[in-house]
Amino acid sequence: MSEQSVNLAQKLSAFTELWSPKIVAGFNGHDVMVVKVNGEFNWHSHPDTDDFFLVLSGRLTIQMRDGDVVLGPGEMYVVPKGVEHCPRADEETHLVIIEPAGTPNTGDPETAVIKTKI
């Protein structure tokens, strides 16, 4: 079996789309993804899964009804399942997100972006 490391900076340099997670690895039924974000996403929740965010560069504000969480490089936060939230970045921000495979990024399969592997 050949094992190869994943260079996150290299993966991030391979695309320009915002709010479009790219799958870079998988483990135990989960997708490990990188994503570039800027501006505000939409308010949503995931009824059956937590939502993991790790900031690689930039700043991310995770708006929630009970207050905001602000993350800088090297910081992470897990939004508990069922909690409504709205990610926002005031500058281009690069993230690692981890979700069970097939989880819609908007919480709704009808409006979710189709995730691709890079």
Side-chain angles (χ1 to χ4, degrees):
M1 177 192 322
S2 173
E3 295 189 25
Q4 189 171 346
S5 65
V6 175
N7 183 308
L8 297 177
Q10 184 180 55
K11 296 292 186 181
L12 282 158
S13 71
F15 66 95
T16 59
E17 301 92 356
L18 297 174
W19 301 106
S20 182
K22 307 297 183 196
I23 300 168
V24 297
F27 76 99
N28 296 332
H30 286 69
D31 290 330
V32 178
M33 297 165 283
V34 291
V35 63
K36 295 178 179 181
V37 300
N38 196 356
E40 188 169 275
F41 197 51
N42 63 320
W43 283 94
H44 68 284
S45 64
H46 303 273
D48 301 315
T49 65
D50 298 329
D51 215 354
F52 173 93
F53 296 88
L54 169 64
V55 175
L56 299 173
S57 66
R59 295 188 72 73
L60 181 72
T61 300
I62 303 173
Q63 302 170 106
M64 294 177 287
R65 301 299 182 191
D66 292 338
D68 297 348
V69 173
V70 180
L71 304 173
E75 295 181 318
M76 59 161 278
Y77 184 75
V78 177
V79 177
K81 68 181 175 181
V83 173
E84 192 176 21
H85 59 286
C86 179
R88 186 187 81 233
D90 296 328
E91 63 185 88
E92 185 170 302
T93 298
H94 299 170
L95 308 171
V96 169
I97 55 178
I98 301 173
E99 297 174 334
T103 299
N105 67 327
T106 60
D108 179 357
E110 303 244 340
T111 60
V113 68
I114 296 173
K115 299 172 189 170
T116 58
K117 293 183 181 183
I118 58 169

